[in-house]
Amino acid sequence: MSETERSDTGEVLIVTGMSGAGRSTAANALEDLGWYVVDNLPPQMLRPLLELTSLAGGVLPRVAVVVDVRGRDLFSELPEALRALRERREMRLMFLDASDEALVRRFEAVRRPHPLQGEGTIVDGIRRERERLAAVRESADVIVDTTRYNVHQLATRVVELFSDEGDARHTLTILSFGFKYGVPPDADMIADMRFLPNPFWEEPLRALTGEDAAVRDYVLGQRGAVEFLDAYAGALAPVLAGYQRENKRHSVIAVGCTGGKHRSVVMARQLAERLETLPGVAVRVRDRDLGRE
């Protein structure tokens, strides 16, 4: 089907992911943003539902559908249903994930079995679910790892991703982080700032952060810092333009240093300043690990 034949009536978001990763929280946040949310819909019902929303015209401009393994055997048809839908209209797929350890803790906290554990353990159910969802995760437009999120942080993240951005066609999150706490699993690109001297070893700067002017001036005064920022921003400009052409609505650039306190915080903000003037791009800065030390 050609692009001109596609239905462009309203936005469509499919929400899926691991049980216990926060689908209900995400659905509630979307509903608060004004999305029409349908929960636990069998994949076979996706096409009739979206045809109905198209007939409704502007009455339902944004529709979010939660699809997950509660549909049991019906869920196995989700990959094929998604492929068919993408041929007919623009849509996005958000996949919510979390570490096995976090999922086990959450199931134990609510004292409920995993929907796929059967006669086995929670871990058995998580393993089976990951196997079933592998292909769906690969096709996701947005992957949100909720391992370190509480319900309020996840709701905030959903609002960041799916609230109105005016004329912006792409939302870019620049995320500072510390390598010693692990690489962000949902990053599209990673920039390593450990090529710059660490302000931690400068006694007057140690207790400060990248939000302080003294640390900012120190980092930007190092050889290669400004050159990197200018070159990296220049290299990202055609990438972000291409994302817009391919209808990729959101991306994450992770900027890391050792602890996520000094260099990455400075460089994330400086990179944002260089990219926020790009057409069609809304830029946000988040600090994952600032304050952990």
Side-chain angles (χ1 to χ4, degrees):
M1 182 172 292
S2 69
E3 292 294 325
T4 56
E5 292 174 300
R6 291 189 181 196
S7 169
D8 58 358
T9 303
E11 297 181 67
V12 176
L13 174 66
I14 308 300
V15 180
T16 190
M18 296 296 295
S19 299
R23 293 186 309 259
S24 296
T25 299
N28 291 337
L30 289 165
E31 197 164 47
D32 290 342
L33 288 172
W35 289 70
Y36 181 78
V37 178
V38 181
D39 190 18
N40 195 20
L41 190 74
Q44 296 84 347
M45 296 296 295
L46 279 172
R47 182 171 174 178
L49 172 68
L50 299 181
E51 288 176 348
L52 177 63
T53 61
S54 296
L55 292 174
V59 177
L60 299 174
R62 297 191 294 177
V63 177
V65 183
V66 181
V67 184
D68 55 65
V69 294
R70 287 175 293 174
R72 302 291 178 175
D73 293 341
L74 296 175
F75 184 79
S76 62
E77 297 187 26
L78 180 59
E80 181 57 37
L82 292 175
R83 282 192 291 271
L85 283 173
R86 286 189 189 274
E87 294 176 357
R88 297 179 59 84
R89 65 182 301 164
E90 299 292 346
M91 55 163 281
R92 286 180 284 174
L93 172 64
M94 177 171 66
F95 189 98
L96 299 174
D97 204 349
S99 69
D100 288 1
E101 293 78 8
L103 295 175
V104 169
R105 287 196 304 269
R106 292 170 188 175
F107 274 105
E108 289 179 342
V110 298
R111 300 182 180 181
R112 296 187 63 186
H114 187 282
L116 295 184
Q117 76 179 67
E119 298 299 321
T121 66
I122 293 174
V123 174
D124 294 328
I126 292 172
R127 176 183 52 79
R128 293 179 185 128
E129 187 173 28
R130 287 204 186 280
E131 292 172 354
R132 291 193 184 189
L133 290 174
V136 177
R137 191 182 193 280
E138 283 292 318
S139 67
D141 300 290
V142 178
I143 298 175
V144 179
D145 188 287
T146 71
T147 300
R148 294 188 175 93
Y149 288 172
N150 60 36
V151 292
H152 305 294
Q153 291 168 327
L154 175 55
T156 298
R157 185 71 178 125
V158 171
V159 170
E160 288 177 351
L161 288 169
F162 299 106
S163 60
D164 289 330
E165 287 291 348
D167 295 329
R169 298 187 59 208
H170 185 84
T171 301
L172 170 65
T173 298
I174 302 179
L175 178 70
S176 76
F177 75 98
F179 278 97
K180 72 179 185 179
Y181 300 115
V183 174
D186 53 350
D188 295 283
M189 292 167 278
I190 295 175
D192 186 350
M193 297 300 103
R194 292 176 294 183
F195 72 93
L196 298 170
N198 192 346
F200 178 85
W201 302 113
E202 300 292 328
E203 186 62 35
L205 303 178
R206 182 171 300 176
L208 303 179
T209 74
E211 295 182 309
D212 293 301
V215 174
R216 181 194 64 217
D217 294 344
Y218 175 86
V219 172
L220 295 180
Q222 301 304 312
R223 183 178 178 181
V226 175
E227 291 86 348
F228 167 81
L229 287 166
D230 291 340
Y232 194 42
L236 288 171
V239 174
L240 295 172
Y243 282 166
Q244 293 180 62
R245 291 193 298 271
E246 294 300 314
N247 200 39
K248 180 176 173 63
R249 300 292 187 90
H250 183 265
S251 61
V252 177
I253 297 176
V255 180
C257 63
T258 303
K261 178 179 179 180
H262 295 115
R263 294 164 289 181
S264 63
V265 175
V266 171
M267 299 295 273
R269 284 155 175 74
Q270 292 294 314
L271 184 61
E273 288 184 7
R274 286 162 170 78
L275 297 177
E276 63 187 5
T277 59
L278 294 177
V281 178
V283 182
R284 299 189 180 103
V285 177
R286 294 177 57 237
D287 303 303
R288 191 191 74 177
D289 300 321
L290 184 61
R292 294 188 69 169
E293 291 188 346

